[in-house]
Amino acid sequence: MASAAYRPEPSDAPRTVLVAEDDAFLRLMIADALRDEGLCVIEAASADEAFTVLSAGMDVHAVLTDVRMPGSMDGVELTRRVGVHWPGLPVFVTSGDLDPAVAREMPVFIAKPYDLNAVVVLILDRLNKEVP
């Protein structure tokens, strides 16, 4: 696993967002909206699945994760692990009922229900800042 700060590889290929959300309908909605903006999307139904994708070395430029999901870890733990193994990889955390103190610790917290278009713009803005 990488220990250096995350830096996207310069490429003409579309940037990739990993979406970890156990609600299949919501995952499909946000994934489609991101794809409509020209991004590649990898979908994960749990934080465990998302961590497996990252650990496999997939070229991911941002992560959008829900907090409460089935499995051995939640989105908060996923966010912490991303910070340890891939520092600098942008992570956007969503939840409808996260403790405010924990929400303040997250890199970017988005309360549910959220405006789909606003979330897409937020991710695009961050990714555009990452372009060399």
Side-chain angles (χ1 to χ4, degrees), residues 21-70:
E21 169 64 64
D22 64 320
D23 180 317
F25 180 73
L26 186 53
R27 187 175 65 244
L28 177 66
M29 294 291 293
I30 190 70
D32 283 351
L34 291 166
R35 287 183 182 112
D36 287 347
E37 293 299 325
L39 298 170
C40 288
V41 178
I42 300 171
E43 297 180 45
S46 70
D48 296 306
E49 190 177 322
F51 190 74
T52 298
V53 167
L54 292 167
S55 297
M58 300 289 291
D59 191 22
V60 173
H61 299 90
V63 176
L64 174 67
T65 183
D66 186 21
V67 171
R68 302 213 190 287
M69 292 182 281

Side-chain angles (χ1 to χ4, degrees), residues 47-117:
D48 296 306
E49 190 177 322
F51 190 74
T52 298
V53 167
L54 292 167
S55 297
M58 300 289 291
D59 191 22
V60 173
H61 299 90
V63 176
L64 174 67
T65 183
D66 186 21
V67 171
R68 302 213 190 287
M69 292 182 281
S72 68
M73 76 173 99
D74 63 8
V76 172
E77 179 61 22
L78 174 63
T79 300
R80 289 182 180 139
R81 289 186 187 191
V82 168
V84 168
H85 297 290
W86 301 277
L89 177 60
V91 179
F92 303 85
V93 179
T94 69
S95 180
D97 60 355
L98 188 60
D99 180 288
V102 176
R104 285 191 295 275
E105 294 176 17
M106 298 298 98
V108 177
F109 177 71
I110 304 161
K112 285 183 175 179
Y114 54 74
D115 178 292
L116 189 64
N117 293 325

